[in-house]
Amino acid sequence: MAEQLAGLSDDRALLGRTSTAERVADILRSRIAEGYFPPGTRLSEDSIGGALGVSRNTLREAFRLLTHERLLVHELNRGVFVRVLTVEDVEDIYRTRTLVECAVVRGLGQPPYALGNLTEAVEEGQRAAREGDWKALGTANIHFHRELVALAGSERTDELMRSVFAELRLAFHVVDDPRRLHEPYLARNRQILRALEAGDRVEAEELLAVYLADSRERIVEVYRRRVGEEPSGG
């Protein structure tokens, strides 16, 4: 916890003079998405409030917002915890991703597309793989999909997917072999990028749809085994 709190102290400057519960929630959401607070972690009001320099009321409101987003859960007489997802949660995350991400690619319009940030996310993943930092590669993969969604130029879609990607990161924490999980998708990210560079959004969408279906199948299989849940009906 000390390392996580040190990181939050660095984030304190982001709050500025107009600190709000929404900004605190943004910081904590990002930290969850980056993997600093794994599922099941208890979030101490005193420690986090002290690290960020915010009042207890402000922090509680931020916790409430993130609970509404299904990233946190409040347990009576125990406190606030980072949520542990169910298999059904994971399946729903992938349904949402497929609906949104494929629709973004389908609706891109005529090329050329602004792919600078997408290219940077691929390069970030390549660096992480060279260094053998598989957690960082998982983060880079999320950045790739976040930048893919950003191609729509919609603040509302970006906001929706920020929460979805943060939930996705909670699922990643259950996987005990992050290299096996993340490494194959680095090449797929490059394939999607190349298709978009060529202006072929039809191929890009097809690649993306198969990518998400394969990722969903792998994550759900591992997740079921790790959390000990039986397949749901239907």
Side-chain angles (χ1 to χ4, degrees):
M1 178 63 76
E3 180 182 350
Q4 292 94 324
L5 293 175
L8 284 181
S9 296
D10 294 336
D11 288 331
R12 184 171 180 170
L14 299 176
L15 296 174
R17 296 178 175 227
T18 57
S19 60
T20 64
E22 288 81 3
R23 291 189 181 186
V24 174
D26 285 343
I27 289 171
L28 294 177
R29 185 188 303 107
S30 295
R31 288 292 178 173
I32 291 170
E34 300 294 341
Y36 285 91
F37 297 113
T41 301
R42 182 180 180 275
L43 300 184
S44 164
E45 288 185 2
D46 291 339
S47 298
I48 292 176
L52 289 175
V54 298
S55 71
R56 187 181 297 269
N57 286 341
T58 296
L59 187 60
R60 285 179 175 174
E61 176 62 13
F63 283 170
R64 188 191 68 78
L65 292 171
L66 294 178
T67 300
H68 180 70
E69 294 179 15
R70 298 178 299 277
L71 295 178
L72 303 181
V73 61
H74 181 268
E75 297 185 11
L76 189 62
N77 298 323
R78 293 194 64 219
V80 175
F81 295 80
V82 179
R83 190 160 171 258
V84 178
L85 302 183
T86 65
V87 170
E88 288 75 15
D89 289 324
V90 176
E91 290 175 332
D92 195 38
I93 287 168
Y94 273 89
R95 278 193 294 269
T96 303
R97 291 187 66 193
T98 301
L99 284 169
V100 174
E101 293 186 48
C102 289
V104 166
V105 173
R106 192 181 316 125
L108 282 178
Q110 295 303 312
Y113 309 121
L115 301 175
N117 290 340
L118 207 61
T119 300
E120 287 182 10
V122 170
E123 292 171 351
E124 176 189 350
Q126 291 171 334
R127 286 193 300 271
R130 285 195 300 269
E131 295 168 3
D133 190 339
W134 309 117
K135 177 181 174 182
L137 179 55
T139 298
N141 281 346
I142 289 178
H143 288 170
F144 177 85
H145 289 276
R146 186 183 67 195
E147 296 302 338
L148 186 69
V149 169
L151 292 175
S154 166
E155 291 184 5
R156 290 172 178 82
T157 305
D158 290 345
E159 182 178 352
L160 165 69
M161 294 306 290
R162 270 197 300 270
S163 177
V164 171
F165 289 138
E167 280 194 273
L168 178 65
R169 190 64 192 240
L170 298 183
F172 286 172
H173 281 291
V174 175
V175 178
D176 54 3
D177 188 351
R179 177 176 184 175
R180 184 165 175 248
L181 173 66
H182 299 304
E183 192 174 31
Y185 296 98
L186 179 57
R188 293 190 178 200
N189 290 345
R190 287 196 297 268
Q191 289 178 329
I192 293 169
L193 177 60
R194 290 194 191 107
L196 292 173
E197 288 173 337
D200 192 343
R201 68 178 187 273
V202 174
E203 181 186 3
E205 184 185 353
E206 291 173 352
L207 290 168
L208 178 61
V210 175
Y211 177 130
L212 291 174
D214 289 347
S215 180
R216 171 191 171 278
E217 182 178 355
R218 176 172 292 191
I219 286 283
V220 168
E221 176 188 2
V222 173
Y223 211 85
R224 272 204 185 100
R225 185 168 65 250
R226 294 280 289 173
V227 304
E229 291 192 27
E230 294 297 325
S232 57

